[in-house]
Amino acid sequence: MKDRQRPPVIIIGAHRSGTTATARALELVGLQIGQHLDSHSEPRALQKLHEDYLRRVGAAWYNPQPFLKWIETPEGKLDCISYLRTNVGRDFARIFGYRFNPKGFWLRARLNFGAQWGWKEPRTTLFAPAWVEIFSGARIVHVVRDADAAASSIRERELKFQAAGDPPTPNLADLNYCRQLVQTYLVTGERLANSANYEQLRFEELQANPHAMLERLADFCGLRVSTRQLAGAAASIRPARVRSTG
């Protein structure tokens, strides 16, 4: 049978911007996002894939500037594309969160029959120019949250980690640095805004009107949604007074 795998839906956005809630809601309306995921609906292997490359060029998710300068060069972009393409070709299932068990094989088989799929991992925001070269036609869902709220959440999480005994992450206890970091992710994601396959979602709008916003997102993602699915997904979105964690 001819392979009918569709281009993915790639959910991007700064850390603590509502990407987790968005990804889970989209999963409830039919987007396949893998099965072996962490508590934020992210494949750990994809996190590691991104972080290993960031480290290679002297960067990290919380210090993306060295990577962003590198990928803006022709050499850097080609090297990054080659790195991602090679790893995906070698280990697609593990990278995107599929187990080697009956359910995992079934989920991967669905991809070859045209199931809509994708992933969520905030570092993807930085790598998006390379990913869209690998997956031509990929649809980008860019989740944007109030910058002060996202920055405060990054800082609060860092302080909790430190209080629990974790070593400090450089600069994340500084609220101004966190604001700059969120802004960097925002600007980086918006570089794809001229594409017909880009949709920006303000998380506060999703919280205020989840039914309408999810219906719009589902249409953008090419998902056929039942009234029951849409209602369930809308109910999963917590109101604005409840702090987002993803």
Side-chain angles (χ1 to χ4, degrees):
M1 182 193 72
K2 185 178 179 181
D3 182 38
R4 294 175 55 201
Q5 182 170 313
R6 298 168 110 187
V9 172
I10 305 176
I11 302 166
I12 66 172
H15 297 255
R16 317 301 286 181
S17 290
T19 54
T20 299
T22 304
R24 288 173 177 165
L26 284 174
E27 186 177 26
L28 288 172
V29 295
L31 183 68
Q32 184 170 301
I33 59 171
Q35 64 180 144
H36 187 202
L37 309 174
D38 72 3
S39 61
H40 294 290
S41 299
E42 300 171 19
R44 292 187 186 277
L46 182 59
Q47 295 171 349
K48 186 176 186 303
L49 184 73
H50 286 150
E51 201 62 42
D52 284 351
Y53 191 85
L54 290 171
R55 193 177 301 113
R56 179 189 295 187
V57 297
W61 75 264
Y62 54 83
N63 177 32
Q65 293 297 346
F67 168 79
L68 294 175
K69 290 178 181 177
W70 169 242
I71 202 173
E72 286 177 0
T73 68
E75 177 190 3
K77 187 172 182 180
L78 286 174
D79 184 71
C80 185
I81 291 169
S82 176
Y83 168 84
L84 296 175
R85 180 176 280 128
T86 299
N87 278 277
V88 168
R90 183 169 52 211
D91 211 359
F92 178 96
R94 188 179 65 86
I95 287 170
F96 293 117
Y98 294 96
R99 296 183 184 274
F100 291 91
N101 60 16
K103 183 177 180 180
F105 288 119
W106 175 73
L107 288 171
R108 279 182 282 148
R110 290 186 75 245
L111 300 182
N112 292 330
F113 285 91
Q116 189 56 281
W117 70 288
W119 72 85
K120 169 259 175 179
E121 204 282 292
R123 297 167 187 81
T124 306
T125 312
L126 310 174
F127 287 81
W131 282 118
V132 297
E133 292 287 340
I134 294 168
F135 292 110
S136 177
R139 304 181 201 202
I140 305 295
V141 174
H142 185 188
V143 184
V144 175
R145 184 185 180 195
D146 175 79
D148 286 340
S152 294
S153 186
I154 291 172
R155 180 177 181 271
E156 288 173 13
R157 181 181 63 175
E158 171 62 19
L159 294 177
K160 285 181 181 178
F161 287 165
Q162 290 186 27
D166 289 353
T169 302
N171 300 312
L172 293 191
D174 181 342
L175 185 57
N176 285 330
Y177 183 87
C178 293
R179 287 193 187 103
Q180 293 170 8
L181 182 63
V182 171
Q183 186 65 24
T184 295
Y185 274 73
L186 172 63
V187 171
T188 301
E190 286 184 338
R191 289 178 181 174
L192 300 171
N194 291 331
S195 166
N197 293 327
Y198 172 95
E199 179 82 5
Q200 186 175 107
L201 170 72
R202 293 207 64 86
F203 187 61
E204 290 81 4
E205 293 181 12
L206 177 61
Q207 290 178 303
N209 196 353
H211 190 282
M213 299 305 292
L214 285 172
E215 189 171 31
R216 190 185 90 187
L217 269 188
D219 182 64
F220 171 75
C221 295
L223 297 167
R224 296 181 179 178
V225 186
S226 69
T227 301
R228 184 175 180 179
Q229 282 178 311
L230 192 58
S236 76
I237 302 297
R238 294 179 295 177
R241 65 179 179 273
V242 181
R243 191 177 300 276
S244 172
T245 61

